[in-house]
Amino acid sequence: MAINDLSKDLAPISSNTMADIVEIKLREYLKKKSFRPGDALPKELELAEALGISRNVLREALSRLRMLGMIETKKKRGMILARPDILGSFERVLDPLIIDNNTLQDIFELRLVLEMGLADLLYIRKTDKDVEELENIAKKEAKLDESFRIKSEIAFHGKLYDMTGNDTLKRFQIMLMPIFDYVLTQEKKPIRGKVNHMDLVQILKTGTKEDFKIGMQAHLQPHFDRINKIKTNK
Amino acid sequence: MAINDLSKDLAPISSNTMADIVEIKLREYLKKKSFRPGDALPKELELAEALGISRNVLREALSRLRMLGMIETKKKRGMILARPDILGSFERVLDPLIIDNNTLQDIFELRLVLEMGLADLLYIRKTDKDVEELENIAKKEAKLDESFRIKSEIAFHGKLYDMTGNDTLKRFQIMLMPIFDYVLTQEKKPIRGKVNHMDLVQILKTGTKEDFKIGMQAHLQPHFDRINKIKTNK
């Protein structure tokens, strides 16, 4: 390695790097001491002294944990360990404009995988009222202009996730939706499977879980065909 | 509302709240100006002046965006908009010890949904070499002690995700694994489906996608039975 690589390899330690280190140290500390949600943390001054760092750097690291929802400041009790919102920070970076194309394709596929796997939970938790609401969405859709296609897609598939009774899954799909839309709007013309939304509603009404799996597969088939084509072209 | 609620309702504006506001303002600014990954951002001093805030508060907000991987500091070019690692921050909060039980159950179900939905991608992308590696994992497993069960579960199901050729999906399952383990170790005795790992390998070798879906369903059935039981008991 040449000498003049030195400045590249030995970048000065920035306050940001310090915040990274302190953030990791704080996490390790919380784990080692078995802090549980609701437990009060030591005061800032004590933490800064124990870590041998300035309060400014400590505050930067604490601010990060606060952003992730890992700590909260309560009146009178001071800082406590909180139950983080596990999807909150994920949401912050999920923007189609700043995600590279490979990851966009990955997320598109992730959503297809989720959709193909929903049937079992759906058939455990769906209610007649749910299916009725889903039917209403599919009925309205038939009368809509093509420009409302994506809105209705969101409503229909969103309701399916809703029917699984799993809040994390539902929020996750809401977050993934802009990515899905983004990929869909890149298409020249909309691709449609042989089974449409109304067909899926009918299956949920009178069909078995196995029927629904076959129906959903046919509904999403054009997307899998495209993935298969990309693979063959590689 | 009683007067003495006032101090509760009107909490003083902390520097943390300011960092929240500035973080949102910066995001809006980056979006409005259509910054793309790689674009250089204005200097700290200019940003602080434009937002009418102190550099300390600005730095706290920038540190958060840096933690999310949204901005990077490059030698000579200064701060640039980066491609964030979309799963990085999610990973930071995904710890079974600080997640509440409802969310744990949600994530457990999310992983079941993913597993049930893998077949289509698997059958598009699996190779003979993949199936051979999977078989080796399943073969070793038969000779292992019960205490290695979870390790082998990780290896087998991890390989399945690997075979989908989707990096995001694979990283996602690696992140969800500790949660899955945590829920599994809460069981009194391990529950096993009628179809085991070796059976799944045989299906991948000679069976169709539909066979695999039925096989995976039978493999995971005990988990769905338990979910069904929880629902009935409610």
Side-chain angles (χ1 to χ4, degrees):
Chain A
M1 192 189 293
I3 287 280
N4 55 9
D5 273 348
L6 193 64
S7 72
K8 214 171 101 200
D9 295 319
L10 274 182
I13 296 165
S14 68
S15 94
N16 179 52
T17 317
M18 274 304 286
D20 283 340
I21 296 168
V22 175
E23 189 202 329
I24 294 166
K25 286 226 175 230
L26 278 173
R27 286 171 181 283
E28 285 170 356
Y29 169 78
L30 294 174
K31 249 192 135 110
K32 208 172 107 195
K33 296 279 179 180
S34 303
F35 276 95
R36 303 285 335 218
D39 288 350
L41 304 189
K43 292 194 198 329
E44 272 187 24
L45 194 66
E46 291 167 33
L47 283 172
E49 271 176 13
L51 293 162
I53 52 167
S54 76
R55 280 183 83 168
N56 269 346
V57 175
L58 176 73
R59 276 192 190 135
E60 204 174 316
L62 287 174
S63 175
R64 292 174 170 201
L65 297 185
R66 216 173 259 127
M67 185 194 71
L68 295 172
M70 284 185 69
I71 58 173
E72 278 173 18
T73 304
K74 291 272 182 199
K75 251 189 104 176
K76 285 178 189 161
R77 296 198 55 209
M79 279 189 299
I80 62 160
L81 191 67
R83 295 188 187 285
D85 173 10
I86 57 155
L87 294 177
S89 53
F90 186 51
E91 211 160 6
R92 283 174 140 101
V93 291
L94 212 61
D95 185 325
L97 292 178
I98 53 171
I99 292 178
D100 65 290
N101 285 336
N102 280 343
T103 309
L104 275 177
Q105 175 66 23
D106 275 4
I107 293 178
F108 187 82
E109 291 175 10
L110 171 60
R111 191 164 167 273
L112 291 177
V113 169
L114 285 174
E115 219 110 315
M116 289 302 301
L118 283 183
D120 304 86
L121 277 189
L122 261 182
Y123 269 77
I124 289 176
R125 301 222 176 101
K126 75 180 166 69
T127 64
D128 290 346
K129 195 171 155 283
D130 279 334
V131 179
E132 206 181 293
E133 281 175 39
L134 194 69
E135 186 168 25
N136 285 333
I137 296 169
K139 271 184 187 162
K140 267 187 211 151
E141 187 176 71
K143 298 173 207 154
L144 287 175
D145 195 70
E146 183 63 24
S147 61
F148 287 97
R149 178 177 68 104
I150 286 179
K151 253 195 171 157
S152 179
E153 276 285 323
I154 295 180
F156 187 87
H157 288 265
K159 180 65 192 168
L160 278 183
Y161 284 83
D162 186 30
M163 287 163 70
T164 64
N166 185 314
D167 287 338
T168 303
L169 197 51
K170 194 190 170 183
R171 273 195 63 203
F172 193 55
Q173 88 88 20
I174 291 173
M175 283 162 37
L176 295 186
M177 197 45 92
I179 311 277
F180 212 63
D181 290 351
Y182 182 80
V183 176
L184 286 180
T185 53
Q186 309 288 82
E187 294 167 16
K188 275 167 207 94
K189 58 175 190 159
I191 43 176
R192 291 186 195 288
K194 281 176 193 152
V195 166
N196 67 22
H197 288 167
M198 211 54 186
D199 299 329
L200 289 176
V201 172
Q202 282 312 318
I203 297 173
L204 283 168
K205 274 182 163 177
T206 56
T208 64
K209 186 171 69 180
E210 283 68 34
D211 295 333
F212 186 80
K213 285 180 186 179
I214 294 166
M216 184 57 96
Q217 149 98 59
H219 182 61
L220 299 176
Q221 190 57 48
H223 298 299
F224 288 115
D225 285 345
R226 191 172 44 179
I227 292 170
N228 216 345
K229 218 166 117 190
I230 295 169
K231 182 203 164 196
T232 322
N233 291 344
K234 261 182 192 167
Chain B
M1 193 191 291
I3 288 280
N4 56 12
D5 274 349
L6 192 65
S7 72
K8 215 170 100 197
D9 295 318
L10 275 180
I13 296 165
S14 68
S15 92
N16 179 52
T17 317
M18 274 304 286
D20 283 339
I21 296 168
V22 174
E23 188 202 330
I24 294 166
K25 286 225 177 232
L26 279 173
R27 285 169 181 284
E28 285 170 355
Y29 168 79
L30 294 174
K31 249 193 136 108
K32 210 172 105 194
K33 296 278 181 182
S34 302
F35 276 95
R36 304 281 338 214
D39 288 350
L41 303 190
K43 293 195 196 328
E44 271 188 24
L45 194 66
E46 292 167 34
L47 283 173
E49 270 175 15
L51 293 162
I53 51 167
S54 76
R55 280 182 82 167
N56 267 346
V57 175
L58 177 74
R59 276 192 189 136
E60 204 174 317
L62 287 174
S63 174
R64 290 175 173 201
L65 297 186
R66 216 172 260 129
M67 183 193 70
L68 294 172
M70 285 184 68
I71 58 173
E72 277 173 19
T73 304
K74 291 273 182 198
K75 249 187 108 175
K76 285 180 189 160
R77 298 199 51 209
M79 277 189 300
I80 62 161
L81 192 65
R83 297 190 189 281
D85 173 10
I86 57 156
L87 293 176
S89 54
F90 186 51
E91 211 160 7
R92 284 174 139 97
V93 291
L94 212 61
D95 185 325
L97 292 178
I98 53 170
I99 292 178
D100 64 290
N101 285 337
N102 281 342
T103 308
L104 275 178
Q105 175 65 21
D106 276 4
I107 293 176
F108 187 81
E109 291 176 11
L110 171 60
R111 191 164 168 275
L112 291 177
V113 169
L114 286 173
E115 219 109 316
M116 290 302 300
L118 284 183
D120 304 85
L121 278 188
L122 260 183
Y123 269 77
I124 289 176
R125 303 222 175 101
K126 74 181 168 68
T127 64
D128 289 346
K129 193 170 156 284
D130 279 334
V131 179
E132 204 181 295
E133 280 175 42
L134 194 69
E135 185 168 24
N136 285 335
I137 297 170
K139 269 183 189 161
K140 266 187 210 151
E141 188 176 70
K143 299 173 206 151
L144 286 177
D145 197 69
E146 183 62 24
S147 61
F148 288 97
R149 179 175 67 102
I150 288 181
K151 254 196 170 156
S152 178
E153 277 284 322
I154 295 180
F156 187 87
H157 288 265
K159 179 65 192 167
L160 279 183
Y161 283 84
D162 186 31
M163 287 162 70
T164 64
N166 185 314
D167 287 339
T168 303
L169 196 53
K170 193 187 172 188
R171 271 196 63 202
F172 193 55
Q173 89 87 20
I174 291 173
M175 282 161 39
L176 295 185
M177 197 46 92
I179 310 277
F180 212 62
D181 291 350
Y182 181 80
V183 176
L184 286 179
T185 52
Q186 307 290 82
E187 293 168 16
K188 275 166 207 91
K189 56 175 193 161
I191 44 177
R192 293 189 194 285
K194 280 175 193 151
V195 167
N196 67 22
H197 288 166
M198 211 54 188
D199 300 328
L200 288 176
V201 171
Q202 282 311 318
I203 297 174
L204 282 169
K205 276 183 163 176
T206 57
T208 65
K209 186 171 69 178
E210 284 66 34
D211 295 334
F212 186 79
K213 285 180 187 179
I214 294 166
M216 185 57 96
Q217 150 97 60
H219 182 60
L220 299 176
Q221 191 56 48
H223 298 298
F224 287 115
D225 286 344
R226 190 173 46 179
I227 292 170
N228 216 345
K229 218 166 120 190
I230 295 169
K231 182 204 166 195
T232 323
N233 290 345
K234 261 183 190 165

